[in-house]
Amino acid sequence: MSASCASNCSSDKLPADPKYRRILWIALIVNASMFGVEVVGGWTSGSAALLADAVDFLGDAANYAVSLFVLTMAAIWRSRTAMVKGAFMGLYGLFVLATAAWHFLHGTLPKAEAMSFIALLALTANVFVAFLLYAYRNGDSNMRAVWLCTRNDAIGNIAVLAAAAGVATTGAGWPDIAVAVVMGVLAMTGSRSVLSQARGELRAGKDVNRRH
């Protein structure tokens, strides 16, 4: 899009990048598959961190699906969609913190071996998707939301691996709970970043409309 169009054109739709669209489809399939793997693994292993990560995979799969839907829409709709994504990230963070609190109160002791295997599989999947999305990390708020979700997932997987090692070493469940809390805080932080950028884009769009 030219500089003049950015400020003067009535249409702010962007042509769909075929490569980005293909990447979103790949990410959608990978995340939907990993949701199934982690939700079963989380319940069977008794891991709060894996259950939290499973829900995150489901949320990311939904985010990729929505991103595909709005890819060619006007910028205002992409920003509004980013607002929804940011809100979902915040709700996910609250869910993770609540799950961690439940496991803490019940003294759950997760299975470290299962945690390690599933977390390593999840990390491989997320690093692969993050590598594909890296070039688009500084796009609009919608692209940024997609990138932040994937980046946070990879960080979370590394943390789950560390938690599994902690559970195996200490014979206690607190490392799993601690990692779940960190994942919840990461989600809340990412939510704030996405919502802030999306609100800025919406305000900028309103200012342009007023001038015209």
Side-chain angles (χ1 to χ4, degrees):
M1 184 183 296
S2 67
S4 60
C5 188
S7 60
N8 297 323
C9 290
S10 59
S11 174
D12 53 3
K13 293 183 179 181
L14 296 175
D17 182 338
K19 182 178 179 182
Y20 186 61
R21 184 182 291 277
R22 286 194 299 271
I23 290 173
L24 288 179
W25 273 111
I26 293 170
L28 171 59
I29 294 169
V30 169
N31 278 264
S33 300
M34 284 307 305
F35 164 71
V37 171
E38 282 208 330
V39 74
V40 173
W43 281 114
T44 57
S45 68
S47 170
L50 282 181
L51 276 178
D53 207 33
V55 176
D56 195 27
F57 270 118
L58 177 63
D60 286 350
N63 281 340
Y64 295 132
V66 171
S67 294
L68 281 164
F69 180 71
V70 301
L71 197 57
T72 58
M73 289 186 175
I76 188 172
W77 288 106
R78 296 195 303 275
S79 296
R80 287 172 178 171
T81 300
M83 290 286 290
V84 174
K85 289 182 181 181
F88 183 87
M89 290 171 68
L91 290 174
Y92 161 71
L94 292 175
F95 168 81
V96 171
L97 295 176
T99 301
W102 188 93
H103 280 270
F104 174 77
L105 293 174
H106 289 77
T108 305
L109 179 63
K111 299 175 182 177
E113 297 82 3
M115 284 178 65
S116 298
F117 175 77
I118 297 172
L120 185 59
L121 183 62
L123 176 62
T124 302
N126 277 319
V127 168
F128 171 66
V129 173
F131 174 78
L132 296 177
L133 289 168
Y134 184 77
Y136 300 93
R137 68 192 184 284
N138 293 322
D140 63 17
S141 58
N142 192 56
M143 287 182 173
R144 181 168 176 76
V146 169
W147 159 251
L148 283 173
C149 285
T150 306
R151 184 206 65 180
N152 287 352
D153 288 350
I155 295 172
N157 299 146
I158 295 172
V160 174
L161 285 170
V167 170
T169 301
T170 64
W174 67 261
D176 178 64
I177 295 171
V179 166
V181 171
V182 170
M183 292 171 68
V185 172
L186 271 176
M188 300 290 285
T189 303
S191 170
R192 181 179 178 180
S193 175
V194 171
L195 289 172
S196 177
Q197 182 175 349
R199 282 195 295 265
E201 291 173 356
L202 289 172
R203 283 195 298 267
K206 289 178 181 178
D207 290 341
V208 171
N209 289 335
R210 289 193 191 101
R211 290 196 295 268
H212 296 282

